[in-house]
């Protein structure tokens, strides 16, 4: 079986999360490997979140904001 | 425009730009930079003598480079306020400390070379952003030769020519001053084009029809070609207008021009501009020799829209226009509470739609005012004074200036009315002494665990 | 107080249901810790949908709610109001975005369903830790700033000013009017633009 | 009434913690008069079998310093746990892994390779590596096995109290003894130190933090009155528990974090990193790259004492 | 006229070709035609060809002369407002026509292309003299006769070598192995 | 010294455009550019092969790319056709993973594999971007002051867009002419087609296009043309006499490779840059200026 990475996306509510919503409303297709966690600003992203994600088995973390 | 001047509830601040916005819905603090006009607005009578006497000429931006204005000027005769400004990049006094003609001749003594830029601070509850659009600059499309061939003009230039108070007194003329006998109007210049803007600019079909009508009205016997991809005439009375133009004898050619050239291949083509196009309905490639080409250019986001977006905390769409809260359910509000958008800064639209959206924005503002109060973010950050060690890492981080330092207790303090709950301080606090309500580390980490389970 | 969580999975007509196995997600949710009610419904944002939540709060004593439907940017406030009207603190609520960021963007139904489950799981875990927050209100300053005095800005300014409220109309250029002032006649009625 | 029984032990550590106990100077005599020392390998001649022979929970207080990185240390930690009523993780290594835990950035194989084969001072032509069993004339000897991972004491056995520091300062040692003697010990799990970060006790002048360049301590002479971090020296004080008495700060040196994270902080290094990133003023790529270069050895800077106790735990081991 | 030969799969066939998928986005604006130096020579304009392809007129498209007049100047491609790779489509039509054996007979271009490819594949290098002689002989020996003055001129200026560049034997073998394998893989799609 | 893998292409290597190869190498030496020829390269397939058998053509091109990948350098070619073929191949291989897998399957039969990492650039791009006009200017020994040169780009060096120069109105060659001390003439058709290989099969079509180019260049005062492509040079130079015959004109415009013009300005030996290979002689024109 091919590698199915688990990616945690930590996205800013105002831009990238809105962007991900926009991708949805425009029905752009992408792979379901990314799971999004919404924050109110990418400034809220504490490095420990990234460590936590890797600790719990994530293969990649996307911080977007 | 005149009613704006006479309305005592409107404080008009022209030649001014918003430089900073702080605060939050219901309570914004706005800094406005007033550029120096070098003319005292309270003394100027608008007599126009200064403009007559000024010896320096420059291209008039308002006329899209077609006409000239002086170094002291009002952009157009009906300007509101009818007070000129001095363009310091051309004025001899500012360049060489000489001349002072305007000052000498101003009977009202309104000229003031010493004026300085001023920052005015005002407080408002709501903001409506209506910054409009820019017209696409077609010289980047090399094959149309705008800027190379004299008689390839933009829609705005055509508008200025046909305006009775414009540089040609309302006459449509070629560079040599004669009237064109044949004109091609090219649609979708910079619109519906992946190389420039993918979107349809919505108004070009209709204003192109209007151009054709004006040509027919002003120049007897003129031949007009409309080169269109699709005629988009959705609007009250629009299709009827199309039909009217068909009857007026405009030649509609369904096809987008590939290029414009002045290389003649036959004697009839000498001295003409040849528009090369496929008439896709008859599947023939045509060379149309014309005297003038009008490029119906796209409406595009203003060049400074990125900066404006930052000032007002707006988001932009992929095409660069400001992002509305919801394209169908809330096209007036934005992601920032208390900031509304209307007109072409949101997306290209025609005048009826612009007026409708502006009225809607006004209604939204008035409903906020009549309600009198507004709910604000509850999910703010708070400092745990038991654990705050007063290291001051957080103080400078807050974009909303919500954090202050309590010198007595030696701890940071967050003003929850100003806090937007972004959590930047929460992440930065090295001793985890700031709690981000509703987005606590435990909650977020638990969510991360959840998505990975 | 022991958390009692209700999970509501929305079909959004066929919008979600065609790309995600809603029944499977609901079944999965019902087995998560502290979940005492898990239901799916055609349109959660509709009145009957909202009533489902209200009834469960009343009858099953829910004290926390998860709705798996569209983006929280769309309907978070709608559902917070439902909690509020049922006497719960509106912040004891969480949404799982299984439409914009799941159903609409994935083609493989099985994988989309898996993802929807993960998002619901995350929301349940999160809502478990959420705490009630207090609502705050501030007064609205009746003055309005309008930026840009083209046709849109002028129209908005006049409407607000005519309603008796103060307007600051800021224009970058020396004169108001914007692009509109450059035009002569306007389509389709060909009246002048001044 | 019999005097309480005290045990001290030294696992993976430098020995500084034992010396710190001796640093109590004349007070050691008070301690000695208060308690019976039943086990302290560097000072008193008791063997392991003596401890094994004791009844469970017969030691009243055990101060255990050093991290756990070998079978022997693990065995003694388990043994002392069983025999002690109150087990104290004593010093940075026992509390958070300390300097030895930097080994978690490598592996056992790499360490042995480096120490026994590559180190320039070696003379090991046969390239002999430590063996678990060795036959000698008297029979077979067994050596303790080195682990890949260095662990904190609490990661091996339950611990009642923590006294952090590299080494723990004398006044905290005396405070612990005093609390014990007066029966005022806090609830189990507590750390005997401040509940705020070091900045709370730091008397340097602090202003808003905007840093445009980071220096290593030898690169500038910092103003002794001003916050070191504001002067561009990476001082881990903001993300480190206070209570040390500002020993480094008073010497005009930055805090290196030996007291571990303040309460509520999950990962000391990550928190410090987050704070550093927040106050840095570079916004463009070039500025950020420059900062990354200025922070030399980030792992060793932010995780100097806390690696074993961090979320990182260790570098990923190559699968063999 | 009724359309009898509609191929429902033609559009999919084209979309499977790398760069071919853009054909679905065409808005029939005719920019490609208006940009094409040879559109006048074509029985169907480039834009019309796309419209025909989308209408499933596989046979008509492939037997058209249009693509054989394509100069590969890529003007249409850079100007297309929908990002369609028309030049690539023309090449694709050509190779499909070749494969189906329906390529337009009224032009020597197919023959010329085939001759070129024959030498390129066989030698791994282009022996210009050999290729041209071969092509002219195949197309019309009379034309070859007319080329003699040009050939002499070239020869006089040192621009015509009888001898051609050859790959090493290993290189030739390697190229042949690759091309033989490619043959078995059944086209780009 | 800058190092590149060099792919001369068939025409420049052993075909009719040998002078291009010679002059390219000669001026590169002057400019400290190391052009190490790719060993055992094969024909890129050009436009014709792709029109006969697309997959085979891509495989031919990819074999060269795979060989070049082993050297890890950027690959430079003086031929516009090769340039376009390689860049198109790279674009499609990297944009369509299944297609790449297929091509690699074929390549495997020759024990080759291609990852898609070779950047392919045109010699004009290398000389004007990497080396730069100033460096070129500094090597000029015989400034060609007054010489009016029509910079002819043709099509495939600028189209489709591979990011180097404007596809409609390129400038790099104009600036290069300037830096050699000569004068670039206004040449509206500078990036229009010369007829390409259709000169062989549809001569009339090509002659028509060549005629327009010559007319545009000469009416704007050009005394010679420079090109960046073997085929363009061939068409404009060799077929000039046929244009004259067909259209009753009398053009005698020498057509040089841009590297030849550089060589002249650098003061290189005539033979080193193959000036005698021009059908329309350049000597007369040069005599006026050098």
């Amino acid at each position: 079986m091919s590698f199915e990475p688990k990616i945690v996306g930590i996205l800013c509510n105002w831009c990238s999360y809105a962007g991900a919503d926009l991708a949805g409303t425009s029905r752009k297709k992408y792979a379901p490997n990314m799971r999004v966690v919404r924050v109110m600003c990418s400034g809220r992203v504490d490095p420990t979140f990234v460590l936590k994600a890797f600790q719990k088995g994530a293969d990649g973390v996307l911080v977007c904001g | 425009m005149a009613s704006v001047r006479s309305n005592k509830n409107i404080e008009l601040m022209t030649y001014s730009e918003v430089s900073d916005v702080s605060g939050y819905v219901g309570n914004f603090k706005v800094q406005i930079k007033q550029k120096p006009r070098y003319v005292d607005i309270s003394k100027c009578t608008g007599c126009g003598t200064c403009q007559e006497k000024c010896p320096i000429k420059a291209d008039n931006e308002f006329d899209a480079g077609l006409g000239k204005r002086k170094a002291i000027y009002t952009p157009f005769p009906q300007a509101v306020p009818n007070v000129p400004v001095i363009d310091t990049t051309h004025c001899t006094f500012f360049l060489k400390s000489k001349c002072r003609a305007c000052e000498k001749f101003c009977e009202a003594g309104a000229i003031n070379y010493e004026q300085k830029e001023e920052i005015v601070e005002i407080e408002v509850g709501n903001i409506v952003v209506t910054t409009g659009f820019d017209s696409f600059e077609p010289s980047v499309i090399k094959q149309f030769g705008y800027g190379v061939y004299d008689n390839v003009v933009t829609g705005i230039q055509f508008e200025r020519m046909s305006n009775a108070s414009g540089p040609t007194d309302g006459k449509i003329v070629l560079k040599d001053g004669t009237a064109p006998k044949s004109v091609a109007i090219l649609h979708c210049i910079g619109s519906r084009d992946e190389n420039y803007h993918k979107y349809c600019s919505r108004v070009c079909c209709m204003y192109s029809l209007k151009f054709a009508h004006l040509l027919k009205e002003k120049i007897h016997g003129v031949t007009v070609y409309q080169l269109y991809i699709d005629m988009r005439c959705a609007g009250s009375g629009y299709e009827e207008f199309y039909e009217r133009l068909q009857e007026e004898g405009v030649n509609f050619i369904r096809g987008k021009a590939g290029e414009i050239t002045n290389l003649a291949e036959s004697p009839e083509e000498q001295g003409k501009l040849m528009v090369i196009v496929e008439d896709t309905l008859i599947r023939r490639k045509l060379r149309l020799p014309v005297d003038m080409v009008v490029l119906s250019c796209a409406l595009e986001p203003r060049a400074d829209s990125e900066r404006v977006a930052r000032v007002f905390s707006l988001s932009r769409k992929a095409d660069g226009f400001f992002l509305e809260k919801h394209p169908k359910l809330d096209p007036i509000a934005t992601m920032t509470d208390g900031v509304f958008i209307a007109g072409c800064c949101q997306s290209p639209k025609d005048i009826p739609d612009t007026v409708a959206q502006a009225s809607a924005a006004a209604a939204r503002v008035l409903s906020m005012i009549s309600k009198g109060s507004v709910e604000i973010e509850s999910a703010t950050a708070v400092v745990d004074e038991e654990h705050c060690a007063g290291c001051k890492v957080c103080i400078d981080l807050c974009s909303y200036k919500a954090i202050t330092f309590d010198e007595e207790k030696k701890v940071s303090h967050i003003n929850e009315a100003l806090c937007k709950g972004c959590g930047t301080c929460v992440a930065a606090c090295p001793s985890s002494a700031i709690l981000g309500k509703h987005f606590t580390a435990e909650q977020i980490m638990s969510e991360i665990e959840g998505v990975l389970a | 107080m022991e958390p009692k969580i209700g999970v509501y999975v929305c079909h959004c007509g066929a919008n979600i249901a065609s790309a995600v196995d809603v029944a499977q997600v609901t079944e999965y949710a019902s087995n998560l810790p502290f979940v005492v009610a898990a239901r799916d419904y055609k349109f959660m944002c509709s009145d009957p949908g909202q009533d489902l939540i209200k009834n469960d709060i009343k009858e099953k004593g829910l004290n926390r709610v998860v709705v798996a439907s569209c983006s929280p940017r769309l309907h978070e406030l709608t559902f917070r109001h439902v909690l509020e009207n049922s006497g719960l603190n509106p912040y004891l609520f969480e949404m799982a975005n299984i439409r914009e960021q799941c159903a609409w963007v994935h083609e493989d139904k099985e994988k989309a369903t898996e993802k929807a489950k993960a998002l619901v799981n995350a929301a349940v875990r999160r809502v478990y830790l959420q705490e009630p927050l207090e609502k705050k209100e501030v007064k609205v300053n009746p003055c309005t700033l309008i930026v840009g005095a083209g046709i849109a800005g002028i129209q908005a300014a006049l409407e607000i000013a005519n309603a008796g409220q103060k307007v600051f109309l800021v224009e970058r250029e020396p004169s108001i009017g914007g692009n509109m002032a450059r035009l002569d006649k306007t389509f389709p009625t060909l009246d002048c633009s001044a | 009434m019999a005097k309480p029984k005290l045990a001290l032990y030294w696992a993976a550590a430098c020995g500084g913690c034992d010396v710190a106990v001796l640093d109590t100077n004349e007070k050691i005599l008070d301690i000695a008069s208060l308690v019976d020392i039943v086990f302290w390998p560097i000072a008193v001649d008791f063997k392991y079998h003596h401890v094994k022979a004791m009844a469970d929970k017969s030691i009243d207080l055990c101060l255990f310093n050093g991290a756990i990185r070998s079978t022997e240390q693990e065995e003694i930690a388990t043994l002392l746990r069983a025999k002690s009523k109150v087990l104290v993780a004593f010093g940075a290594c026992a509390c958070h892994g300390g300097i030895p835990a930097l080994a978690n950035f490598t592996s056992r194989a790499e360490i042995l390779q480096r120490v026994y084969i590559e180190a320039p001072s070696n003379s090991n032509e046969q390239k002999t590596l430590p063996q678990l069993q060795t036959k000698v004339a008297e029979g077979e000897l067994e050596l303790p096995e080195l682990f890949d991972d260095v662990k904190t004491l609490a990661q091996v056995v339950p611990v009642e109290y923590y006294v952090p520091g590299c080494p723990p300062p004398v006044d905290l040692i005396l405070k612990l003894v005093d609390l014990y003697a007066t029966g005022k010990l806090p609830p189990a799990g507590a750390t005997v130190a401040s509940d705020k970060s070091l900045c709370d006790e730091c008397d340097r002048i602090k202003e808003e933090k905007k840093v445009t360049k980071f220096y290593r301590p030898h690169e500038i002479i910092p103003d002794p009155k001003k916050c070191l971090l504001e002067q561009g020296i990476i001082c881990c004080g903001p993300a480190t528990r206070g209570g040390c008495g500002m020993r480094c700060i008073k010497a005009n040196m930055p805090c290196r974090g030996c007291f571990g994270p303040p309460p509520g902080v999950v990962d000391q290094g990550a928190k410090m990193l987050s704070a550093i990133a927040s106050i840095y003023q570079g916004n463009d790529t070039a500025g950020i790259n420059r900062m990354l270069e200025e922070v030399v050895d980030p792992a060793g800077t932010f995780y100097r004492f806390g690696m074993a106790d961090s979320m990182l735990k260790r570098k990923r081991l190559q699968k063999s | 006229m009724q359309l009898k030969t509609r191929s429902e799969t033609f559009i999919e066939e084209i979309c499977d070709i790398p760069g071919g998928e853009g054909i679905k986005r065409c808005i029939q604006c005719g920019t490609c035609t208006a940009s094409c130096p040879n559109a006048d020579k074509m029985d169907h304009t480039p834009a019309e060809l796309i419209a025909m392809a989308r209408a499933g007129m596989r046979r008509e498209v492939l037997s058209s002369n249009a693509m054989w007049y394509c100069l590969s100047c890529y003007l249409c491609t850079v100007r297309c407002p929908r990002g369609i790779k028309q030049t690539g489509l023309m090449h694709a039509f050509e190779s499909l026509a070749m494969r189906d054996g329906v390529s337009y007979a009224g032009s020597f271009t197919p023959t010329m292309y085939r001759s070129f490819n024959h030498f390129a594949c066989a030698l791994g290098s282009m022996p210009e003299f050999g290729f041209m002689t071969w092509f002219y002989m195949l197309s019309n020996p009379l034309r070859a006769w007319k080329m003699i003055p040009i050939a002499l001129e070239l020869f006089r200026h040192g621009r015509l070598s009888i001898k051609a560049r050859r790959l090493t034997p290993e290189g030739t073998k390697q190229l042949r192995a690759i091309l033989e394998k490619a043959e078995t893989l059944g086209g780009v799609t | 010294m800058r190092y590149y893998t060099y792919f001369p292409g068939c025409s420049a290597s052993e075909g009719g455009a040998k002078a291009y190869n010679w002059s390219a190498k000669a001026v590169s030496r002057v400019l400290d550019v190391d052009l190490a020829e790719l060993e055992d390269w094969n024909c890129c397939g050009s436009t014709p092969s792709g029109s006969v058998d697309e997959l085979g053509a891509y495989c031919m091109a990819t074999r060269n790319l795979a060989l070049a990948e082993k050297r890890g350098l950027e690959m430079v070619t003086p031929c516009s056709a090769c340039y376009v073929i390689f860049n198109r191949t790279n674009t499609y291989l990297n944009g369509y993973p299944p297609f790449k897998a297929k091509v690699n399957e074929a390549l495997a039969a020759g024990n080759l594999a291609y990852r898609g990492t070779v950047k392919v650039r045109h010699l004009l791009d290398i000389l004007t971007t990497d080396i730069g006009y100033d460096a070129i200017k500094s090597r000029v020994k015989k400034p060609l002051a007054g010489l009016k040169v029509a910079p002819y780009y043709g099509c495939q060096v600028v189209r489709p867009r591979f990011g180097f120069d404007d596809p409609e109105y390129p400038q790099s060659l104009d600036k290069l002419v300037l830096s050699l001390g000569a004068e670039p003439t206004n040449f509206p058709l500078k990036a229009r087609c010369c007829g390409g290989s259709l000169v062989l099969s549809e001569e009339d079509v090509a002659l028509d296009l060549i005629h327009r180019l010559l007319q545009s260049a000469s009416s704007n005062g050009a005394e010679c043309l420079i090109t960046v492509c073997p085929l363009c040079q061939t068409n404009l130079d060799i077929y000039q006499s046929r244009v004259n015959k067909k259209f009753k004109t009398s053009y005698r415009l020498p057509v040089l490779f841009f590297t030849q013009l550089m060589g002249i300005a650098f003061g290189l030996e005539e033979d080193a840059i193959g000036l005698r290979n021009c059908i329309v002689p350049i000597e007369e024109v040069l005599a006026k200026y050098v």
Side-chain angles (χ1 to χ4, degrees), chain A residues 27-52:
Chain A
R27 309 297 197 275
K28 300 247 188 248
K29 301 294 176 198
Y30 57 88
N33 304 49
M34 186 174 75
R35 311 281 154 85
V36 169
V37 170
R38 181 173 68 131
V39 287
M40 281 299 135
C41 170
S42 52
R44 176 66 187 97
V45 178
D46 187 318
T48 48
F49 299 165
V50 180
L51 295 177
K52 184 76 179 182

Side-chain angles (χ1 to χ4, degrees), chain D residues 75-133:
Chain D
E75 186 188 333
I76 302 302
T78 316
L79 178 66
L80 285 171
R81 170 69 277 180
K83 303 300 176 188
S84 307
K85 285 200 188 88
V86 173
L87 178 63
V88 178
F90 189 75
C93 302
C95 290
H96 311 109
I99 299 288
L102 288 171
N104 287 358
F105 284 115
T106 88
S107 67
R108 169 175 52 197
E110 284 167 1
I111 291 171
L112 296 181
Q113 173 76 14
R114 173 72 193 153
V115 173
Y116 291 93
I117 313 258
E118 291 167 1
S121 58
N122 268 344
S123 157
N124 178 7
E125 278 165 19
Q126 278 87 44
K127 301 199 187 306
T128 312
L129 290 177
Q131 302 297 310
L132 296 184
Q133 272 92 26

Side-chain angles (χ1 to χ4, degrees), chain A residues 1-5, chain C residues 111:
Chain A
M1 211 187 77
S2 63
F3 174 52
E4 289 282 354
Chain C
K111 284 183 179 163

Side-chain angles (χ1 to χ4, degrees), chain C residues 10-177:
Chain C
C10 181
H11 295 218
C12 195
N15 276 309
I16 294 171
S18 66
V20 168
D21 187 334
V22 172
Q24 222 187 91
V25 176
T26 314
E27 161 70 20
Y28 169 83
S30 68
N31 292 320
L32 291 172
F34 304 105
V35 172
V36 297
R39 302 178 190 280
D40 59 289
Y41 187 69
K42 280 273 171 231
F43 289 103
M44 277 313 299
C45 59
S46 66
D47 281 345
Q50 297 186 17
D51 289 345
L52 275 181
I53 303 176
K54 283 182 195 161
N55 286 340
D56 282 351
I57 292 175
K58 209 188 297 168
E59 285 166 17
K60 301 201 170 184
L62 299 185
N63 50 24
R64 280 170 166 75
V65 173
V66 168
V67 172
S69 60
C70 50
S71 171
R73 295 165 54 85
L74 205 61
H75 274 312
E76 192 168 47
L77 285 180
T78 316
F79 292 112
R80 279 186 183 170
H81 282 307
V82 174
L83 268 71
E84 213 174 355
N85 294 339
S86 309
L88 277 186
N89 185 285
Y91 286 89
L92 296 172
F93 167 75
E94 186 62 23
M95 278 182 95
N97 185 347
I98 62 166
R99 193 178 76 174
E100 281 86 346
Q101 300 191 9
C102 187
W104 277 350
V105 287
H106 304 318
E107 281 165 325
D108 182 331
K109 188 164 183 176
E110 201 178 306
K111 284 183 179 163
T113 305
E114 282 311 304
K115 176 168 171 177
K117 287 181 191 169
L119 294 175
V120 168
N121 181 33
V124 169
R125 286 190 188 221
R126 188 189 208 290
V127 84
Y128 171 80
L129 292 170
Q130 273 164 218
E131 286 163 1
L133 295 183
E134 209 180 307
K135 264 176 117 176
K136 281 182 231 116
E137 282 197 350
V138 291
K139 287 221 168 325
V140 171
N141 181 327
C143 299
T144 303
L145 167 69
I146 294 180
V147 189
I151 171 83
I154 291 173
Q155 175 74 22
L158 287 173
E159 295 231 12
I160 297 170
N162 290 339
Q165 302 296 344
K166 171 94 182 166
V167 174
F168 295 95
L169 180 56
V170 175
E171 167 58 48
R172 177 164 71 170
E173 297 299 322
S175 167
I176 62 170

Side-chain angles (χ1 to χ4, degrees), chain E residues 21 79 94 117 143 159 168, chain F residues 40 51 96 168 200 233:
Chain E
E21 68 285 343
R79 287 180 184 170
E94 284 168 338
N117 189 50
R143 281 160 52 92
R159 294 179 65 161
T168 61
Chain F
D40 218 17
S51 302
Y96 300 82
E168 296 274 357
L200 299 177
Q233 199 278 342

Side-chain angles (χ1 to χ4, degrees), chain B residues 164-192:
Chain B
S165 65
T168 57
D169 301 326
K171 286 199 205 67
I172 310 293
V173 289
L174 300 172
K175 189 83 170 182
D176 63 10
T178 62
K181 292 186 194 67
S182 52
V183 179
I185 301 170
L186 275 52
H187 293 219
C188 300
I189 305 302
S191 306
R192 300 186 73 193

Side-chain angles (χ1 to χ4, degrees), chain D residues 235-254:
Chain D
C235 172
C236 294
T240 302
R241 189 187 283 269
C244 60
M246 294 167 64
R247 287 178 300 190
C248 303
I249 306 292
K250 279 179 186 157
N252 215 7
M253 287 295 280

